[in-house]
Amino acid sequence: TSRLVHLTDADEALWSGFVALAPGERMALAAGARHDLFVLKGTLAAEGGPALDNGDFAILAGGIDLRAGDEGAQVLAYRDSSGMPFEELAVPRAERPWREGRTPGMLGASLCSTGHALNLLMWQPGPPTRHHSHPGGEEIFVLRGELCDETRHPAGSWMRLHPGAWHAPFVETPTLLLVRSGHLKGRAKGR
């Protein structure tokens, strides 16, 4: 049976969480909302839409069913029910547009930039980033490796930096991050 882990309040308009589906299990996406889905493990098929494999990303409209493949599926999900316009898309793992990042030793792949930015970052050990903030907020999920700042965040860690929060992260081992930014602009902490 499915498991749902809320990273934010379940009723929040900008919700983040994990969904684990058993083999063949179905789950309905909330009607009237945008859903950003990053497949962490297994496969997932969207009713009338794309089939997603491990490492694939998609933006889907609500009101459709998802079905896990024969091995089940684990998905990092983001739901935006604020009513902002969006376009559906799918970015297969093999088609990621990798580019050099602003930080030495970092490669980035943009998954979307409509309404907010969502990027994968592959970061090799080296100097820390400069001390900085994100005016529109930021959410970081550590897929592999470990992100460091005042504390250590191993693979599987998720953090939300609200607008105005400062940090100077670095890595000591090769690290893969999923980073969403710009979506919390104008939102007070805890909302």
Short mmCIF file of all heavy atoms in Angstrom, two decimals, residues 31-65:
data_model
loop_
_atom_site.label_atom_id
_atom_site.label_comp_id
_atom_site.label_asym_id
_atom_site.label_seq_id
_atom_site.Cartn_x
_atom_site.Cartn_y
_atom_site.Cartn_z
N ALA A 31 -7.07 17.36 -8.14
CA ALA A 31 -7.63 18.15 -9.24
C ALA A 31 -7.31 19.62 -9.05
O ALA A 31 -7.25 20.12 -7.93
CB ALA A 31 -9.13 17.93 -9.32
N GLY A 32 -7.08 20.32 -10.16
CA GLY A 32 -6.86 21.76 -10.12
C GLY A 32 -5.50 22.19 -9.64
O GLY A 32 -5.30 23.37 -9.34
N ALA A 33 -4.55 21.28 -9.55
CA ALA A 33 -3.22 21.62 -9.04
C ALA A 33 -2.13 21.19 -10.02
O ALA A 33 -2.33 20.29 -10.84
CB ALA A 33 -2.97 20.95 -7.69
N ARG A 34 -0.99 21.85 -9.91
CA ARG A 34 0.22 21.46 -10.65
C ARG A 34 0.96 20.45 -9.79
O ARG A 34 1.06 20.63 -8.57
CB ARG A 34 1.09 22.70 -10.85
CG ARG A 34 2.51 22.39 -11.31
CD ARG A 34 3.35 23.65 -11.30
NE ARG A 34 4.74 23.33 -11.55
CZ ARG A 34 5.59 24.16 -12.12
NH1 ARG A 34 5.20 25.36 -12.49
NH2 ARG A 34 6.85 23.79 -12.31
N HIS A 35 1.50 19.41 -10.41
CA HIS A 35 2.28 18.40 -9.69
C HIS A 35 3.63 18.23 -10.36
O HIS A 35 3.69 17.89 -11.54
CB HIS A 35 1.55 17.06 -9.68
CG HIS A 35 0.25 17.10 -8.97
ND1 HIS A 35 -0.90 17.58 -9.55
CD2 HIS A 35 -0.09 16.77 -7.70
CE1 HIS A 35 -1.90 17.52 -8.69
NE2 HIS A 35 -1.43 17.03 -7.55
N ASP A 36 4.71 18.50 -9.63
CA ASP A 36 6.07 18.24 -10.10
C ASP A 36 6.48 16.92 -9.48
O ASP A 36 6.44 16.77 -8.25
CB ASP A 36 7.03 19.33 -9.62
CG ASP A 36 6.79 20.68 -10.29
OD1 ASP A 36 5.75 20.86 -10.95
OD2 ASP A 36 7.65 21.56 -10.13
N LEU A 37 6.87 15.97 -10.32
CA LEU A 37 7.19 14.62 -9.86
C LEU A 37 8.60 14.24 -10.30
O LEU A 37 8.90 14.30 -11.50
CB LEU A 37 6.19 13.61 -10.42
CG LEU A 37 4.71 13.92 -10.17
CD1 LEU A 37 3.83 12.98 -10.97
CD2 LEU A 37 4.40 13.85 -8.69
N PHE A 38 9.44 13.85 -9.35
CA PHE A 38 10.78 13.35 -9.65
C PHE A 38 10.83 11.91 -9.16
O PHE A 38 10.67 11.65 -7.96
CB PHE A 38 11.86 14.19 -8.95
CG PHE A 38 13.24 13.82 -9.36
CD1 PHE A 38 13.79 14.33 -10.53
CD2 PHE A 38 14.00 12.94 -8.61
CE1 PHE A 38 15.07 13.98 -10.92
CE2 PHE A 38 15.28 12.58 -8.99
CZ PHE A 38 15.82 13.11 -10.16
N VAL A 39 11.01 10.96 -10.08
CA VAL A 39 11.00 9.54 -9.73
C VAL A 39 12.34 9.16 -9.12
O VAL A 39 13.38 9.22 -9.77
CB VAL A 39 10.67 8.65 -10.96
CG1 VAL A 39 10.65 7.18 -10.56
CG2 VAL A 39 9.35 9.07 -11.58
N LEU A 40 12.30 8.78 -7.85
CA LEU A 40 13.51 8.39 -7.12
C LEU A 40 13.85 6.92 -7.33
O LEU A 40 15.02 6.54 -7.30
CB LEU A 40 13.31 8.64 -5.62
CG LEU A 40 13.06 10.09 -5.22
CD1 LEU A 40 12.59 10.17 -3.77
CD2 LEU A 40 14.32 10.91 -5.42
N LYS A 41 12.83 6.10 -7.54
CA LYS A 41 13.04 4.65 -7.70
C LYS A 41 11.82 4.06 -8.38
O LYS A 41 10.69 4.46 -8.11
CB LYS A 41 13.25 4.02 -6.32
CG LYS A 41 13.60 2.57 -6.34
CD LYS A 41 13.87 2.06 -4.93
CE LYS A 41 14.19 0.59 -4.94
NZ LYS A 41 14.40 0.07 -3.59
N GLY A 42 12.05 3.08 -9.26
CA GLY A 42 10.94 2.38 -9.91
C GLY A 42 10.42 3.12 -11.13
O GLY A 42 11.09 3.96 -11.72
N THR A 43 9.17 2.78 -11.50
CA THR A 43 8.53 3.38 -12.67
C THR A 43 7.12 3.82 -12.31
O THR A 43 6.51 3.30 -11.38
CB THR A 43 8.48 2.41 -13.86
OG1 THR A 43 7.77 1.24 -13.46
CG2 THR A 43 9.87 2.03 -14.34
N LEU A 44 6.63 4.76 -13.12
CA LEU A 44 5.33 5.36 -12.87
C LEU A 44 4.72 5.71 -14.21
O LEU A 44 5.40 6.24 -15.08
CB LEU A 44 5.57 6.63 -12.04
CG LEU A 44 4.44 7.33 -11.36
CD1 LEU A 44 3.82 6.42 -10.29
CD2 LEU A 44 4.97 8.59 -10.70
N ALA A 45 3.43 5.41 -14.39
CA ALA A 45 2.73 5.77 -15.63
C ALA A 45 1.60 6.72 -15.29
O ALA A 45 0.86 6.50 -14.33
CB ALA A 45 2.18 4.52 -16.31
N ALA A 46 1.49 7.79 -16.07
CA ALA A 46 0.42 8.76 -15.90
C ALA A 46 -0.69 8.44 -16.88
O ALA A 46 -0.43 8.23 -18.07
CB ALA A 46 0.94 10.17 -16.12
N GLU A 47 -1.92 8.41 -16.40
CA GLU A 47 -3.07 8.14 -17.25
C GLU A 47 -3.11 9.15 -18.40
O GLU A 47 -3.17 10.36 -18.19
CB GLU A 47 -4.34 8.28 -16.41
CG GLU A 47 -5.63 8.14 -17.14
CD GLU A 47 -6.80 8.44 -16.22
OE1 GLU A 47 -6.75 8.05 -15.04
OE2 GLU A 47 -7.75 9.07 -16.68
N GLY A 48 -3.00 8.64 -19.63
CA GLY A 48 -3.02 9.50 -20.81
C GLY A 48 -1.78 10.36 -20.95
O GLY A 48 -1.76 11.31 -21.73
N GLY A 49 -0.73 10.08 -20.18
CA GLY A 49 0.48 10.89 -20.22
C GLY A 49 1.73 10.04 -20.29
O GLY A 49 1.68 8.88 -20.70
N PRO A 50 2.84 10.60 -19.86
CA PRO A 50 4.12 9.91 -20.00
C PRO A 50 4.32 8.76 -19.02
O PRO A 50 3.72 8.72 -17.96
CB PRO A 50 5.14 11.02 -19.70
CG PRO A 50 4.42 11.93 -18.75
CD PRO A 50 2.98 11.90 -19.20
N ALA A 51 5.17 7.82 -19.44
CA ALA A 51 5.67 6.78 -18.54
C ALA A 51 6.98 7.32 -17.99
O ALA A 51 7.81 7.83 -18.74
CB ALA A 51 5.90 5.48 -19.30
N LEU A 52 7.16 7.26 -16.69
CA LEU A 52 8.33 7.84 -16.03
C LEU A 52 9.16 6.74 -15.39
O LEU A 52 8.61 5.86 -14.73
CB LEU A 52 7.90 8.85 -14.97
CG LEU A 52 7.01 9.99 -15.47
CD1 LEU A 52 6.47 10.78 -14.29
CD2 LEU A 52 7.78 10.88 -16.42
N ASP A 53 10.46 6.82 -15.57
CA ASP A 53 11.39 5.84 -15.03
C ASP A 53 12.26 6.53 -13.97
O ASP A 53 12.24 7.75 -13.82
CB ASP A 53 12.27 5.31 -16.16
CG ASP A 53 12.91 3.98 -15.86
OD1 ASP A 53 12.77 3.48 -14.72
OD2 ASP A 53 13.56 3.43 -16.75
N ASN A 54 13.05 5.74 -13.26
CA ASN A 54 13.97 6.23 -12.25
C ASN A 54 14.77 7.41 -12.80
O ASN A 54 15.41 7.30 -13.83
CB ASN A 54 14.89 5.09 -11.83
CG ASN A 54 15.84 5.47 -10.74
OD1 ASN A 54 15.53 6.30 -9.90
ND2 ASN A 54 17.02 4.88 -10.76
N GLY A 55 14.71 8.57 -12.12
CA GLY A 55 15.46 9.75 -12.52
C GLY A 55 14.71 10.68 -13.46
O GLY A 55 15.20 11.77 -13.76
N ASP A 56 13.53 10.30 -13.93
CA ASP A 56 12.73 11.17 -14.81
C ASP A 56 11.97 12.21 -14.00
O ASP A 56 11.68 12.00 -12.82
CB ASP A 56 11.73 10.35 -15.63
CG ASP A 56 12.39 9.47 -16.68
OD1 ASP A 56 13.60 9.59 -16.91
OD2 ASP A 56 11.66 8.64 -17.27
N PHE A 57 11.63 13.30 -14.66
CA PHE A 57 10.89 14.39 -14.05
C PHE A 57 9.71 14.75 -14.93
O PHE A 57 9.81 14.72 -16.16
CB PHE A 57 11.79 15.61 -13.88
CG PHE A 57 11.04 16.86 -13.48
CD1 PHE A 57 10.60 17.02 -12.18
CD2 PHE A 57 10.75 17.84 -14.41
CE1 PHE A 57 9.89 18.15 -11.80
CE2 PHE A 57 10.05 18.98 -14.04
CZ PHE A 57 9.62 19.13 -12.74
N ALA A 58 8.57 15.11 -14.32
CA ALA A 58 7.42 15.57 -15.09
C ALA A 58 6.63 16.60 -14.30
O ALA A 58 6.62 16.58 -13.06
CB ALA A 58 6.51 14.39 -15.44
N ILE A 59 5.98 17.50 -15.03
CA ILE A 59 4.98 18.40 -14.47
C ILE A 59 3.66 17.95 -15.05
O ILE A 59 3.50 17.90 -16.28
CB ILE A 59 5.24 19.87 -14.85
CG1 ILE A 59 6.59 20.35 -14.31
CG2 ILE A 59 4.11 20.76 -14.35
CD1 ILE A 59 6.98 21.74 -14.78
N LEU A 60 2.71 17.60 -14.18
CA LEU A 60 1.41 17.09 -14.62
C LEU A 60 0.29 17.85 -13.95
O LEU A 60 0.41 18.27 -12.80
CB LEU A 60 1.28 15.60 -14.28
CG LEU A 60 2.31 14.65 -14.89
CD1 LEU A 60 2.14 13.25 -14.33
CD2 LEU A 60 2.20 14.65 -16.40
N ALA A 61 -0.80 18.00 -14.67
CA ALA A 61 -2.00 18.60 -14.11
C ALA A 61 -2.71 17.57 -13.24
O ALA A 61 -2.57 16.36 -13.46
CB ALA A 61 -2.93 19.06 -15.23
N GLY A 62 -3.48 18.05 -12.28
CA GLY A 62 -4.22 17.15 -11.40
C GLY A 62 -5.44 16.56 -12.08
O GLY A 62 -5.75 16.86 -13.22
N GLY A 63 -6.10 15.68 -11.34
CA GLY A 63 -7.30 15.04 -11.83
C GLY A 63 -7.04 13.79 -12.65
O GLY A 63 -7.94 13.25 -13.28
N ILE A 64 -5.77 13.30 -12.66
CA ILE A 64 -5.46 12.06 -13.36
C ILE A 64 -4.92 11.05 -12.37
O ILE A 64 -4.54 11.39 -11.25
CB ILE A 64 -4.44 12.27 -14.50
CG1 ILE A 64 -3.09 12.76 -13.94
CG2 ILE A 64 -4.98 13.23 -15.55
CD1 ILE A 64 -1.97 12.76 -14.95
N ASP A 65 -4.88 9.79 -12.80
CA ASP A 65 -4.33 8.72 -11.97
C ASP A 65 -2.91 8.40 -12.39
O ASP A 65 -2.57 8.42 -13.58
CB ASP A 65 -5.17 7.45 -12.12
CG ASP A 65 -6.43 7.47 -11.29
OD1 ASP A 65 -6.56 8.36 -10.42
OD2 ASP A 65 -7.29 6.62 -11.53
#
